[in-house]
Amino acid sequence: MLDEIFSFLANVLIMFKELLLVLVGGLCAAFGGFFATWYLAKNSRRIRREEIIGEKQVEVYQKAARLSSQIQSLLIQGTLEDARKFVQENSDWFWDNRLFLPQGFQDKWISIKSNLNKAVRLEKKQGEEVDEKKRGNQIDKLGDLESFIRELAQAAEKVVLEELDLRPIEIEKFLKKKQEE
């Protein structure tokens, strides 16, 4: 009879152990499911945030490249004052989107703005100068400054295009091509 009691208790312990293992397995599965759901939610939020930032950056880069190109065009076809006004009109856009712009573009944009202001002041001063030698020096300085601003605008466009893995458009000139042959 004692054997039967021990056998019964052994069977109860085995069933209790199996029941305990099932409960622990269920708790582990529930915890694993909860953890997986939490991790996926956290990861999907991060991915979505990066997607939104990426979309915004592409939009901002597109406009930045266009503005750089327009400044170059204004420096060739317009006046320094036209270019200065254009930069000033787009100043709010620049500051609103600064977080999304590459640092190199930001540096070039501020440099363009600063040098355009200087060039416009120099142009006005040169127009008022009566001494022909000083006026000639100011004209030379203004020409150099204008070339520097054009280089800054090209560099700003290049920074944006490099961020997008694009090359700048290269215009081939007929005379250069003819000389190479």
Side-chain angles (χ1 to χ4, degrees):
M1 174 113 155
L2 203 51
D3 276 345
E4 290 178 10
I5 294 175
F6 283 132
S7 177
F8 176 74
L9 287 176
N11 286 336
V12 168
L13 284 175
I14 290 173
M15 287 186 352
F16 180 72
K17 180 180 114 180
E18 289 175 2
L19 182 62
L20 187 62
L21 289 175
V22 168
L23 287 174
V24 169
L27 287 173
C28 287
F31 179 72
F34 173 75
F35 180 75
T37 303
W38 170 80
Y39 179 76
L40 287 173
K42 177 184 170 195
N43 204 27
S44 66
R45 281 192 301 268
R46 181 186 54 79
I47 290 170
R48 181 64 186 139
R49 183 176 56 248
E50 288 173 3
E51 286 174 350
I52 290 169
I53 289 170
E55 290 170 6
K56 180 69 174 173
Q57 274 183 321
V58 169
E59 177 186 313
V60 169
Y61 285 6
Q62 181 183 12
K63 182 156 184 179
R66 187 173 65 245
L67 292 177
S68 299
S69 180
Q70 287 175 312
I71 291 170
Q72 293 174 57
S73 179
L74 280 170
L75 289 169
I76 293 170
Q77 299 173 353
T79 65
L80 290 169
E81 181 62 30
D82 292 339
R84 188 191 68 77
K85 284 180 182 175
F86 178 78
V87 169
Q88 192 63 36
E89 288 168 0
N90 289 287
S91 186
D92 286 342
W93 169 85
F94 172 78
W95 292 109
D96 289 345
N97 293 290
R98 184 170 176 232
L99 286 173
F100 301 104
L101 291 165
Q103 185 63 47
F105 180 86
Q106 294 177 42
D107 297 342
K108 303 294 185 245
W109 181 268
I110 296 297
S111 298
I112 289 168
K113 183 177 179 180
S114 173
N115 284 294
L116 275 171
N117 288 332
K118 183 178 180 180
V120 168
R121 284 193 309 272
L122 185 60
E123 189 175 48
K124 287 179 183 175
K125 184 177 176 184
Q126 174 264 325
E128 298 167 356
E129 186 61 55
V130 289
D131 184 0
E132 287 300 316
K133 186 175 180 181
K134 286 183 180 178
R135 186 178 174 146
N137 287 341
Q138 289 175 341
I139 289 172
D140 291 342
K141 189 175 179 181
L142 190 59
D144 292 343
L145 189 54
E146 198 170 343
S147 293
F148 178 64
I149 295 168
R150 197 172 302 116
E151 288 172 15
L152 285 171
Q154 289 171 345
E157 182 179 25
K158 186 176 179 184
V159 166
V160 172
L161 293 177
E162 284 175 354
E163 286 287 322
L164 296 170
D165 281 335
L166 296 172
R167 290 179 342 140
I169 295 172
E170 293 182 30
I171 299 173
E172 296 184 28
K173 297 187 177 160
F174 176 71
L175 293 176
K176 184 179 176 184
K177 192 82 165 165
K178 196 72 167 161
Q179 291 171 352
E180 290 175 0
E181 294 175 355

